Amino acid sequence: MSRPIEKLENLLSKPHRIVVVCVLFSVFLFLLSACFIEVANFAYGLTLSLVMPIIISYPISLVVIGYTKKIKKQKQELAELDIINKKLFTLISHDIRSPMATLKGLVDSMAFNDFDRETEKEYLGRLSKHIANLDLFLTDLLQWSQDQIQGKPAKSSLFKCKETIVQIGGLFEAMLLEKQIDFTLGDLNGTIYADPRNYAFVVRNVLHNAIKFTPKKGSINVCLKTEGHEVHTIIKDSGVGLSKVEIDTIFEGEKLFTQLGTSEEKGTGFGLKASIDYLKKNKGRLSIESTPGKGTSVSIILPNSPLPA
């Protein structure tokens, strides 16, 4: 949209501004016509040129401005949906096609090769792990897309997060065993005030990243720490670590940070970016402390009680 049109829209964005413009235009036309045509009652004509535009233009301007705002809102919603659709297509093409190709390869190997019982068991285990990971990604993607499209607010409540963390740890059991990671749980006795589904989404994605970037026979520890009115869910790993530039990339703008895991695991960076958005909705934040080659400590920081309005 060109600047002159924007200026005109701003000028006519309030009913009284439209009325003033109409009145000035009406008076101008009356005075202009009075210069060439003799007016029997100048005062009466001038009064009409002042009053009539107010009576006519004010209600019309209210209706027009109402429709304009509605159209602008619909245009903004369509633009947001377009952005969501583009993200979804990017994620689907990147994060689903690759796992599907892996699944197809495993199924084809089992279908067209005569494996012994032990090898079949190994392939079925790998197949189960890949299906679980794909299901996890689809669950997160579905939750995120529904929340974005419907504009759902966070439904915060007080809850103990130990059960959530233990369940998510069990979800990644196959991945932890495959990489022989020493997964330990510290003190998990804490209460958080947040949306339980949002919290589970964030923990799931941060823990998945920790596993992804931790080498075989590494270690991951999860614990809670209370500081004032906040609870820190700390997920610490002995992985490859992050540089300051990489940490800045995670938090800055719309750019997604992604790199291959220690076992060539692929990703888009979607989960971490969505997690940061969810934490903002829950009046929380993410903190990352890391040194390249020495592991990473990610803190999911949320209130432990309702914050004052």
Side-chain angles (χ1 to χ4, degrees):
M1 189 180 293
S2 62
R3 292 188 65 85
I5 295 176
E6 286 181 356
K7 289 180 179 179
L8 182 61
E9 281 192 349
N10 291 332
L11 178 65
L12 302 178
S13 61
K14 303 290 182 183
H16 69 271
R17 292 178 182 174
I18 295 176
V19 171
V20 169
V21 170
C22 290
V23 169
L24 291 175
F25 188 65
S26 175
V27 171
F28 170 75
L29 288 178
F30 173 75
L31 293 175
L32 184 65
S33 61
C35 294
F36 300 98
I37 303 171
E38 186 178 348
V39 179
N41 192 330
F42 182 84
Y44 179 72
L46 182 61
T47 302
L48 282 179
S49 67
L50 286 169
V51 174
M52 291 303 294
I54 297 174
I55 295 172
I56 297 171
S57 64
Y58 188 75
I60 294 175
S61 66
L62 287 175
V63 174
V64 172
I65 289 173
Y67 275 108
T68 302
K69 286 181 178 179
K70 187 177 180 180
I71 292 169
K72 280 187 176 180
K73 185 179 178 182
Q74 290 175 340
K75 184 179 178 181
Q76 184 179 353
E77 288 173 352
L78 286 172
E80 290 172 355
L81 284 174
D82 184 54
I83 292 170
I84 293 170
N85 284 333
K86 287 177 180 177
K87 284 185 179 179
L88 283 173
F89 280 116
T90 301
L91 293 165
I92 289 169
S93 64
H94 190 290
D95 269 27
I96 294 182
R97 288 177 64 185
S98 179
M100 287 298 291
T102 303
L103 290 176
K104 184 178 183 302
L106 288 169
V107 172
D108 287 347
S109 295
M110 294 181 68
F112 300 111
N113 290 282
D114 190 16
F115 292 131
D116 57 49
R117 190 172 183 81
E118 196 64 33
T119 306
E120 280 186 357
K121 187 176 179 181
E122 178 189 344
Y123 268 75
L124 284 172
R126 289 166 61 186
L127 191 63
S128 175
K129 183 198 73 171
H130 284 294
I131 290 173
N133 289 339
L134 184 58
D135 180 64
L136 172 65
F137 173 76
L138 288 173
T139 299
D140 283 349
L141 189 60
L142 181 61
Q143 179 183 333
W144 175 84
S145 60
Q146 285 179 335
D147 289 349
Q148 294 295 311
I149 292 169
Q150 298 173 15
K152 290 182 178 179
K155 296 181 180 179
S156 298
S157 62
L158 280 171
F159 67 95
K160 292 186 178 295
C161 42
K162 181 176 181 178
E163 185 179 348
T164 300
I165 295 171
V166 171
Q167 286 179 346
I168 293 171
L171 182 67
F172 291 117
E173 185 178 359
M175 293 178 67
L176 291 164
L177 287 172
E178 183 182 359
K179 298 185 83 170
Q180 301 173 43
I181 292 173
D182 180 23
F183 181 64
T184 57
L185 299 175
D187 182 9
L188 299 179
N189 294 316
T191 302
I192 287 177
Y193 184 75
D195 186 317
R197 289 171 67 249
N198 291 176
Y199 177 73
F201 180 99
V202 177
V203 172
R204 203 158 54 232
N205 278 282
V206 173
L207 182 55
H208 184 267
N209 273 346
I211 297 169
K212 177 180 173 181
F213 296 112
T214 298
K216 286 189 175 182
K217 297 185 178 180
S219 63
I220 296 175
N221 176 263
V222 183
C223 67
L224 297 183
K225 182 180 178 182
T226 302
E227 292 186 6
H229 297 290
E230 295 178 332
V231 174
H232 296 228
T233 304
I234 303 170
I235 300 176
K236 188 174 183 179
D237 65 63
S238 62
V240 297
L242 294 164
S243 67
K244 185 180 182 305
V245 173
E246 289 170 333
I247 293 174
D248 289 342
T249 302
I250 290 171
F251 287 105
E252 288 176 359
E254 291 296 318
K255 186 178 179 181
L256 299 179
F257 171 76
T258 180
Q259 63 184 38
L260 293 176
T262 54
S263 296
E264 301 297 309
E265 301 101 324
K266 294 181 179 179
T268 62
F270 156 76
L272 204 53
K273 182 63 70 175
S275 295
I276 293 171
D277 292 339
Y278 273 131
L279 287 173
K280 287 179 181 177
K281 286 173 63 177
N282 286 271
K283 296 180 171 56
R285 63 189 188 280
L286 199 70
S287 174
I288 301 175
E289 296 179 6
S290 185
T291 303
K294 295 185 179 180
T296 301
S297 177
V298 179
S299 295
I300 301 164
I301 305 168
L302 287 160
N304 59 9
S305 60
L307 295 176

